[in-house]
Amino acid sequence: MAQKTTELYRGKAKTVYHTTDADKLILHFRNDTSAFDGERIEQLARKGMVNNKFNFFIMQKLEQAGIPTQAEVLLSDDEVLVKKLAMIPVECVVRNFAAGSLVKRLGVEEGQALTPPTFELFLKNDALHDPMINDSHVVSFGWATAEQLAEMKQLTLRVNDVLSRLFDDAGLMLVDFKLEFGLFHGKVVLGDEFSPDGCRLWDKASRKKLDKDRFRQGLGGVVEAYEEVAQRLGVPLD
Ligand code: 5GP
């Protein structure tokens, strides 16, 4: 098994380490929770563990559905071994219901169903507050080729199909989510993480928010909500 060596990158919620295998990295999920492009950061006990296990569970479900992911081996409570991807600096966002920046941008009502779901692209750049971009920006600036972008879009919509059903079965609405992709020996592979930090999940009956909006909006009970989602999905946390 690949062993952790030097730090490659420290993100807002995860630290990435090189390993003794040049094709593998270790992601360490920290308890740090940030909002507003890192302007607000707090430590939330157990969050690193919950998100690490939640992410691995979801990535396994996606692999089973034929979607290539970087996840390899759950190493510990807060660490996972992953494939080393050359990350594409673009965020792919799918929305099934209006919320967040879409509501602000277009003045539509929160909770409005979007049929078919929308697909949006954002540039991963905190200093610029992750501006919205379009397909031609991605290709003209060389962030991805037209073929890679088409693959990212197709995979993101397939992830939406698989996960919307999974969450629906657990009494939850998958309102929206963000994915990041990278290249592994030239192939487009799902990277980063899927956790309640990067998606919106509402209880179907009460529409209670069970995701990072609890932190962004100061609603409290953040990790408790993540644990409730994990428990409803059957993610083993102990
Ligand atoms: P919005 O554009 O409404 O702010 O976000 C849409 C969805 O993508 C939400 O589920 C949100 O959590 C996720 N998302 C967008 N950008 C980021 C980001 O930079 N970090 C994280 N963790 N999630 C993001």
Side-chain angles (χ1 to χ4, degrees):
M1 177 81 69
Q3 301 297 309
K4 188 200 280 185
T5 58
T6 53
E7 184 177 312
L8 168 64
Y9 171 76
R10 187 179 164 88
K12 292 193 292 293
K14 295 190 292 299
T15 308
V16 183
Y17 294 92
H18 289 290
T19 72
T20 47
D21 181 338
D23 265 345
K24 304 278 165 67
L25 297 172
I26 289 176
L27 305 184
H28 172 219
F29 286 72
R30 307 195 314 273
N31 286 338
D32 297 288
T33 312
S34 74
F36 315 117
D37 304 309
E39 274 176 38
R40 196 170 131 223
I41 299 177
E42 276 176 38
Q43 292 278 312
L44 297 180
R46 302 192 307 282
K47 200 204 67 153
M49 179 273 289
V50 175
N51 276 4
N52 183 38
K53 293 183 175 178
F54 191 100
N55 173 63
F56 192 73
F57 178 90
I58 295 288
M59 292 292 166
Q60 279 183 309
K61 292 283 180 199
L62 296 176
E63 287 278 356
Q64 285 160 16
I67 293 156
T69 80
Q70 73 171 160
E72 293 262 309
V73 183
L74 190 66
L75 295 174
S76 67
D77 273 2
D78 54 9
E79 288 181 315
V80 63
L81 184 72
V82 300
K83 295 180 191 76
K84 182 179 185 188
L85 309 184
M87 292 305 291
I88 296 167
V90 168
E91 301 182 339
C92 297
V93 170
V94 163
R95 301 177 194 270
N96 297 304
F97 299 90
S101 71
L102 183 73
V103 167
K104 279 203 197 124
R105 200 180 326 125
L106 301 184
V108 295
E109 196 185 336
E110 186 181 70
Q112 180 184 329
L114 302 167
T115 317
T118 62
F119 178 78
E120 299 167 349
L121 296 163
F122 297 86
L123 179 65
K124 198 172 158 64
N125 184 321
D126 275 348
L128 297 177
H129 308 292
D130 293 352
M132 195 175 189
I133 53 175
N134 65 26
D135 293 37
S136 84
H137 295 135
V138 173
V139 177
S140 295
F141 288 107
W143 295 315
T145 65
E147 293 73 26
Q148 289 162 352
L149 180 58
E151 179 77 3
M152 287 158 64
K153 180 172 180 180
Q154 195 196 39
L155 288 171
T156 303
L157 293 172
R158 275 174 60 199
V159 167
N160 189 42
D161 287 342
V162 174
L163 297 186
S164 288
R165 202 162 306 134
L166 186 82
F167 286 112
D168 186 70
D169 288 345
L172 296 161
M173 295 159 65
L174 178 58
V175 173
D176 57 29
F177 63 89
K178 179 262 298 177
L179 299 181
E180 294 178 30
F181 293 89
L183 300 177
F184 187 69
H185 299 297
K187 182 180 163 195
V188 175
V189 171
L190 178 60
D192 192 50
E193 70 181 269
F194 190 101
S195 74
D197 269 1
C199 68
R200 290 192 171 92
L201 295 165
W202 297 348
D203 177 72
K204 256 199 299 189
S206 66
R207 299 221 163 182
K208 181 182 174 190
K209 294 180 163 113
L210 297 167
D211 54 63
K212 196 173 174 183
D213 272 351
R214 299 201 71 79
F215 179 75
R216 296 187 188 103
Q217 298 174 9
L219 300 173
V222 181
V223 178
E224 290 78 1
Y226 290 22
E227 285 175 324
E228 180 180 338
V229 172
Q231 186 246 324
R232 286 206 213 175
L233 287 183
V235 179
L237 290 184
D238 301 314

